[in-house]
Amino acid sequence: MKNIYIIGFMGSGKSSVGQKISERWNYHFTDTDTIIEKKYNKTIPAIFSQEGEGKFRTYESDALRSVPNENCVISTGGGIVVNKKNIESMAQTGLIVFLDTSFNVIDARLRSDVSRPLWNQNRTKQKQLYKVRETIYRSCAQLTVNTDYKTMDEVASEILGSIQSIE
Ligand code: S3P
């Protein structure tokens, strides 16, 4: 069976939802940020501050390439779509699912978060990033699920129901 790639903005619940889908379908679960942190034995903020975003993006593309080509649910970092080749590779090996979460809900969830360097910026930059990313997520996803005010279980069920009707 094809992979399932979960994409979406920081704080949209990609890891929790991905994990739930993998448990219910008995798929492997992996997360590109976790692959990077384990491989380099560093946190994401440490990689950003010591090596810069460019290097992180290289690590991220490598992490994506390292996952199996089938039977896997992969939760991706919010910026995976910045590199077009990553989008192509996800589209070739699986179904791309966008967790669509409004800016206000993200903002409430990430208010005290300090682990995401690209969120720890001023409000104007946060909104700009959200807008730019949202356009890309929408354009490359085969399935979009709104997550506002839903539990992670509800989102996972919705995705699984939609996938079954696609296949
Ligand atoms: C990023 C999102 C983060 C992480 C890094 C960069 C982004 O992952 O990969 O901080 O560019 O949106 P989450 O989406 O899991 O927070």
Side-chain angles (χ1 to χ4, degrees):
M1 291 282 278
K2 279 175 138 192
N3 281 346
I4 299 172
Y5 294 97
I6 315 283
I7 65 167
F9 202 75
M10 294 172 259
S12 59
K14 300 180 295 280
S15 298
S16 312
V17 169
Q19 228 153 352
K20 288 199 181 291
I21 294 174
S22 71
E23 282 159 18
R24 292 204 211 162
W25 264 17
N26 210 13
Y27 262 37
H28 294 292
F29 172 75
T30 190
D31 179 312
T32 53
D33 283 347
T34 308
I35 296 174
I36 297 167
E37 290 186 324
K38 279 195 185 147
K39 184 169 176 186
Y40 297 97
N41 197 24
K42 276 186 189 177
T43 63
I44 304 291
I47 296 173
F48 266 75
S49 67
Q50 292 165 17
E51 305 179 47
E53 182 179 351
K55 199 79 187 173
F56 172 79
R57 296 294 169 211
T58 308
Y59 295 162
E60 187 171 51
S61 299
D62 292 345
L64 186 66
R65 270 197 295 273
S66 75
V67 303
N69 277 339
E70 50 185 18
N71 300 326
C72 205
V73 180
I74 301 107
S75 295
T76 59
I80 200 94
V81 295
V82 164
N83 181 334
K84 271 194 183 157
K85 287 199 172 142
N86 292 344
I87 299 177
E88 284 164 17
S89 134
M90 293 191 286
Q92 272 162 15
T93 53
L95 183 81
I96 305 179
V97 180
F98 168 38
L99 300 192
D100 182 12
T101 310
S102 67
F103 184 87
N104 288 345
V105 169
I106 299 273
D107 185 41
R109 283 193 194 148
L110 298 185
R111 194 150 288 166
S112 48
D113 186 277
V114 288
S115 67
R116 292 169 166 99
L118 294 183
W119 181 253
N120 296 328
Q121 312 189 77
N122 66 43
R123 179 54 40 129
T124 309
K125 286 196 170 155
Q126 287 174 338
K127 285 192 171 164
Q128 271 170 359
L129 185 66
Y130 181 89
K131 241 182 140 191
V132 169
R133 291 280 180 80
E134 190 191 14
T135 307
I136 314 178
Y137 298 139
R138 283 196 199 292
S139 70
C140 68
Q142 285 137 299
L143 176 65
T144 297
V145 176
N146 184 277
T147 74
D148 282 0
Y149 312 111
K150 291 176 190 161
T151 65
M152 298 302 165
D153 274 311
E154 285 168 339
V155 174
S157 298
E158 214 174 297
I159 293 172
L160 291 175
S162 303
I163 290 178
Q164 269 148 3
S165 61
I166 290 173
E167 288 182 341

